Amino acid sequence: MKKVGIVMGSDSDLPIIEKATDMLKALEIPYEVHVYSAHRTPAEAKEFASTAREKGFGVMIAAAGMAAHLAGAVAANTTLPVIGIPCKGPVLDGLDALLSTVQMPTGIPVATVAVNGGANAALLAAEILAVEDSALAAKLDVKRASDAAKVLEKDRAVAEKLNV
Ligand code: RP5
């Protein structure tokens, strides 16, 4: 199976990335994680992105906060699909990172998930890999059914408590 390449702008983004790695682990998808910043270590970020395809990666996840240019910088250096996670910073509630990540110019797409959306980034990466992997697609179907069952259980509990 192709690997998921994961890069975060700072180790302070780790709690968000761990939501992604937990999900990938649960789905038994291989991944490799790095701390490379678009601003502080641009050469390393570029090298990771530009060599990713030949190293066996199939999709990239990039998480950053504040002036969050990392996902865009990764996308500029690979034609693998890139998923951007805007991370909430100390001011502006993540709106700064959301706009910096999502507002990419035509030609260099970044599939942007919600602010702090680490789990969905991993699920989207899994769905991309599952296009060519029916066993992984089956795992995603099982997870969807299990998630739906949990919601319906909550529905039953709320209905029992409140309905007259
Ligand atoms: C961004 O700046 C990082 O992705 C992080 O979200 C934010 C703050 O970084 P630190 O100052 O905590 O290293 O580049």
Side-chain angles (χ1 to χ4, degrees):
M1 188 190 298
K2 298 270 188 198
K3 295 181 286 183
V4 179
I6 303 177
V7 59
M8 69 197 98
S10 166
D11 63 352
S12 62
D13 302 320
L14 203 49
I16 309 306
I17 285 300
E18 281 174 336
K19 295 195 229 172
T21 54
D22 286 351
M23 186 66 71
L24 293 172
K25 249 183 251 165
L27 292 165
E28 298 176 291
I29 296 172
Y31 58 84
E32 185 178 313
V33 183
H34 293 280
V35 179
Y36 295 142
S37 163
H39 308 119
R40 293 165 174 158
T41 58
E44 287 77 4
K46 179 180 178 181
E47 171 73 9
F48 184 51
S50 60
T51 59
R53 189 183 292 275
E54 72 203 42
K55 288 182 180 158
F57 293 97
V59 53
M60 308 294 276
I61 293 174
M66 300 176 74
H69 299 134
L70 184 58
V74 170
N77 287 292
T78 182
T79 53
L80 291 173
V82 176
I83 300 166
I85 310 173
C87 298
K88 187 172 168 173
V91 293
L92 303 179
D93 276 343
L95 184 60
D96 45 355
L98 174 61
L99 297 180
S100 303
T101 304
V102 77
Q103 286 289 66
M104 289 299 294
T106 298
I108 312 292
V110 168
T112 304
V113 296
V115 173
N116 289 356
N120 262 4
L123 282 169
L124 184 53
E127 289 177 359
I128 290 167
L129 296 177
V131 169
E132 297 286 343
D133 184 332
S134 55
L136 180 54
K139 278 187 200 170
L140 290 170
D141 285 340
V142 167
K143 176 170 168 38
R144 281 280 175 102
S146 153
D147 289 350
K150 284 178 201 155
V151 173
L152 293 177
E153 181 52 40
K154 288 175 187 170
D155 169 60
R156 276 190 290 276
V158 169
E160 196 176 309
K161 188 174 173 187
L162 298 182
N163 289 351
V164 290

